[in-house]
Each structure stands twice: as C-alpha cells, then as structure tokens.
Amino acid sequence: MLEAIEFGYEAVVALVNAQKDLMGALGLTLPSLAGPEVDPTLATFVAAQAEAQVQAIVAAGLKEKGDRDDAFEAIKVELKAAIAALPEGDPVKAAAIGGDLGGTFKALTKRVMRQQVIEKGIRIDGRRLDEVRPVSARAACCPGCMAARCSIGG
C-alpha cells in the first residue's frame, strides 16, 4: 500500500514540476492566494461555550451518525440562544451577525475529533484506528439475476 502511495506521489510531483516549468517558459507567476483575515472573536466564544460539550459527545463514541448530529445540533441551538441573549453592541454578537456560526462550530468539532484520534487513537464512533466497520458481500442474492449485495457498517 505504501508503495502505491509513493508511486502516486512521485507522479504528482512530476506533474507539478512540469506545470512550474511551463509557467516559467510562459512568464507566468502564481497569484497570491492568501485567505481572508478571520476575526477570532466568534471562534473564541464558541470554544469557551461549547468545547467541553463537544468533547463529551466525541468521547462518548456514539456509533450512529444521526445521534451525534442531533447532539451537535442541540449545542448549536444553545449557542444561537446565548448569542441572541447578548446585549446589542457586544463584539461576539456583532461577529456572529457577519460571521459563520455553523462553520465556526464545525471547525471546533473537527479539531476536537482530530485531537481524540491523535491523543487516544479512537475515532468518533468509538472504533480504534486498527478497527474497521463490518463488511459483508453476497453473490447471487436474487434468483435469476447477475447481481451482488454489499454491506458496509452495521
């Protein structure tokens, strides 16, 4: 498997170098692709209000994605209510109006999930890194047809 990844990497490096050579021959330069400046006000508030709850959900190892999504959605509802309760002119409220609360919350959940994988070696659904979901396959499952049935997960 590692050999296949290395082979692919070498092929991509060759393509990137060919593109750089072509750009140089044509006198082209790469444009600057700096991202927009991000105000940390909303992210700091979301982390302070919700990080412990997100960590608890991630650590619970809920196997069903729908259950995790429902739990995360409940936290987002609480965050929206907390922001709405802030006085007018509050910097967090102003940042939330122009910001992306959903994206900010998703970035928090992603960071917490990755942290658990790195530190504890456990995925969000409770599986260790060396565990896979159950996989099954059946051939000739329908009489008279040439079909197969595969199942991945529970």
Side-chain angles (χ1 to χ4, degrees):
M1 178 67 137
L2 184 58
E3 293 158 353
I5 293 171
E6 289 173 350
F7 177 80
Y9 174 77
E10 291 171 6
V12 169
V13 167
L15 289 172
V16 169
N17 288 335
Q19 290 173 345
K20 286 180 180 177
D21 292 344
L22 180 61
M23 287 180 65
L26 296 173
L28 302 173
T29 58
L30 286 174
S32 173
L33 300 175
E37 194 171 309
V38 177
D39 179 4
T41 306
L42 184 59
T44 302
F45 178 83
V46 168
Q49 295 291 314
E51 186 162 359
Q53 291 172 287
V54 170
Q55 286 173 336
I57 292 167
V58 170
L62 299 173
K63 296 207 179 296
E64 298 297 324
K65 185 177 185 321
D67 294 341
R68 291 190 306 267
D69 289 346
D70 291 345
F72 288 144
E73 189 59 36
I75 296 172
K76 281 199 288 189
V77 168
E78 290 176 18
L79 281 171
K80 288 177 185 177
I83 291 170
L86 294 171
E88 293 301 321
D90 186 283
V92 172
K93 195 168 196 170
I97 290 170
D100 177 16
L101 179 61
T104 302
F105 183 76
K106 182 162 181 73
L108 171 66
T109 60
K110 191 175 186 178
R111 180 174 57 78
V112 170
M113 284 185 247
R114 286 184 175 176
Q115 184 178 7
Q116 177 170 297
V117 169
I118 292 167
E119 292 176 2
K120 298 178 181 172
I122 300 173
R123 295 181 178 119
I124 190 164
D125 61 2
R127 291 179 296 128
R128 293 186 320 268
L129 298 179
D130 62 351
E131 290 179 304
V132 295
R133 292 187 188 102
V135 178
S136 64
R138 284 183 29 199
C141 55
C142 301
C145 70
M146 297 180 67
R149 179 177 139 196
C150 294
S151 175
I152 300 175

